[in-house]
Amino acid sequence: AEASACKGRGNRCMQSRDYAGALRCYAEGAARLSPLVDEAALAVECLPQTPFAGYAIDAVEAAAAGGEARCLLAALHANSAQALLRQSRWLECVEACNAAIRAEPGHAKAAWRGATAALNVGMRDVAVSFLDGALRRHPDVSDLLELRRKLGPLPDILEPASDDDIAVERPKTEWKPPPRPAPPAGKDKAD
């Protein structure tokens, strides 16, 4: 409840364009929530694999609590990213988006914001990674699709191998230095 209240206060700060205040509220909410998310994950990991009646209920409850907390944590980080984006704090925005996606993989808003920030600092491959990761989980989100189309295809440097590629060996090209320019007339010999 406290983390949710922090989110609400942060959202009101965003509406009044108080981005620093919003960031403080979102950070406070995330700080209150992070231990709960870690605790829920640990509780699920520590439960026995055999589904006894009591343990199965505890596992479901812990997973549900952890899932709700993760969604809220992701929203807090994604909202922080929006405040950072509005301030042109690109690299911090990318970090906030990574935190949101760690909490909730495929978070569409965090992916779009992270890609936008990455593009503003020339990190095209990071932008593509944000978008492709989110599109695997949400292939119909129009904002993600539109931004991904604008980026175009990646260079064919790291194509994944298919079964056909295994049998065919591709020729390797060697790097050759560019040719040296010809010296000016009369300067082709040592003095």
Side-chain angles (χ1 to χ4, degrees):
E2 292 175 19
S4 187
C6 291
K7 180 184 174 206
R9 286 193 307 274
N11 290 348
R12 286 189 294 281
C13 287
M14 285 291 289
Q15 289 174 346
S16 65
R17 299 179 196 264
D18 176 11
Y19 303 126
L23 286 170
R24 281 191 300 276
C25 292
Y26 296 143
E28 181 185 342
R32 292 175 184 273
L33 213 49
S34 291
L36 297 175
V37 170
D38 295 340
E39 196 174 289
L42 184 61
V44 171
E45 285 176 19
C46 292
L47 290 172
Q49 297 297 316
T50 311
F52 294 112
Y55 290 126
I57 292 170
D58 289 346
V60 169
E61 288 173 2
E68 289 173 21
R70 284 186 172 285
C71 287
L72 182 53
L73 183 61
L76 288 163
H77 286 302
N79 289 359
S80 294
Q82 179 65 15
L84 294 163
L85 199 60
R86 296 252 174 103
Q87 298 176 66
S88 302
R89 292 167 58 182
W90 312 123
L91 294 177
E92 291 169 275
C93 179
V94 168
E95 289 177 25
C97 292
N98 278 326
I101 289 170
R102 275 193 303 275
E104 186 183 329
H107 192 286
K109 287 182 180 180
W112 187 90
R113 292 168 185 164
T116 301
L119 288 173
N120 276 290
V121 290
M123 297 167 44
R124 183 179 185 276
D125 54 335
V126 172
V128 169
S129 178
F130 272 120
L131 295 169
D132 288 352
L135 284 168
R136 276 192 289 279
R137 293 177 183 267
H138 309 287
D140 298 327
V141 176
S142 61
D143 289 339
L144 296 174
L145 289 166
E146 181 182 335
L147 187 53
R148 183 62 182 93
R149 271 193 290 275
K150 286 180 183 177
L151 291 175
L154 286 175
D156 291 338
I157 296 171
L158 298 175
E159 280 184 7
S162 69
D163 291 339
D164 297 335
D165 290 339
I166 295 171
V168 178
E169 189 165 323
R170 295 182 182 194
K172 295 179 182 175
T173 56
E174 290 184 37
W175 180 82
K176 296 179 184 174
R180 289 184 160 186
K187 297 290 184 183
D188 58 344
K189 297 184 182 168
D191 292 326

